[in-house]
Amino acid sequence: MRKPAVTSVPIAAAMAERWSPRALDASSEVGPDQVRALLEAARWAPSFGNTQPARYLVGARGTPSFDAILATLNSGNRAWAHRASLLLVGVMVTTNEKGSVPYAEYGLGLASENLVLQAVELGLVAHQMAGFSAPDVSASFGLPDNAVPKVAIAVGSVASADVLEEDWRIEREKAERKRVPLEEFAFTGQWGTPAL
């Protein structure tokens, strides 16, 4: 299933095709070269002063790391994320040898967007999640105090919405993608004055 963005002008294909499905193919695998490409894309994201605060915990389906990440997800996310080929947790490093890392969360966000867009480029899908226990991730993976888990990411291949089984989940999966109009998104002169 595809749900390309309906845009006012053409945008880069990976951005138009990116969405966050929950219906994933439980038989699909993400190969080592694909995992490497996802992480390389994230690694080359911009960051404040080249501080590179992003780090990732990686678990392929069938591994203890996958099971450990899955166990930290809330029940709503576990209900579908168990079908993912790959589960990751994006972690921001908040200090380095110079002290506090400015904009660490922003840097992790940029890296994660690179990862997600690379997934699209590889014919995969990715779904980012806030619904997980950061303390459980820290405990399970032995994170130091300056490493803060901020986002979980499921990666895989899209499947029919029917794998979600419950009618409300299937309807949500098939629902039209929506964004605020550009007139309410970008302003000029003063807040509320549309730039376009």
Side-chain angles (χ1 to χ4, degrees):
M1 181 166 64
R2 290 179 58 234
K3 288 173 58 167
V6 178
T7 58
S8 60
V9 295
I11 62 173
M15 293 178 199
E17 291 292 333
R18 186 221 60 79
W19 68 293
S20 301
R22 293 174 178 87
L24 300 175
D25 181 349
S27 66
S28 175
E29 294 185 12
V30 175
D33 288 345
Q34 291 173 309
V35 174
R36 182 175 293 277
L38 294 171
L39 296 172
E40 278 290 2
R43 188 169 75 97
W44 284 97
S47 62
F48 176 86
N50 198 28
T51 48
Q52 304 175 47
R55 301 292 186 274
Y56 292 89
L57 303 170
V58 183
R61 190 190 318 107
T63 67
S65 288
F66 182 96
D67 294 341
I69 294 170
L70 185 65
T72 71
L73 302 182
N74 67 24
S75 59
N77 285 331
R78 277 195 315 271
W80 60 268
H82 64 91
R83 292 185 201 86
S85 305
L86 189 69
L87 289 176
L88 305 99
V89 176
V91 177
M92 66 177 191
V93 176
T94 59
T95 61
N96 62 19
E97 64 281 354
K98 295 179 182 177
S100 180
V101 175
Y103 304 106
E105 191 166 6
Y106 186 68
L108 175 60
L110 291 168
S112 295
E113 179 68 0
N114 271 19
L115 187 151
V116 167
L117 292 175
Q118 182 64 39
V120 174
E121 191 70 22
L122 294 170
L124 301 168
V125 292
H127 187 117
Q128 299 175 76
M129 301 168 273
F132 73 101
S133 170
D136 288 352
V137 169
S138 295
S140 293
F141 288 90
L143 271 57
D145 290 343
N146 71 334
V148 182
K150 295 302 288 187
V151 63
I153 306 170
V155 178
S157 297
V158 73
S160 166
D162 295 337
V163 302
L164 298 173
E165 298 174 348
E166 297 173 89
D167 289 342
W168 71 272
R169 290 182 191 274
I170 294 169
E171 289 172 22
R172 178 178 64 180
E173 192 77 355
K174 293 180 176 179
E176 178 185 352
R177 295 174 61 198
K178 295 181 181 178
R179 292 293 187 272
V180 298
L182 277 176
E183 295 80 16
E184 297 174 22
F185 183 79
F187 308 120
T188 189
Q190 291 193 10
W191 186 264
T193 303
L196 299 171

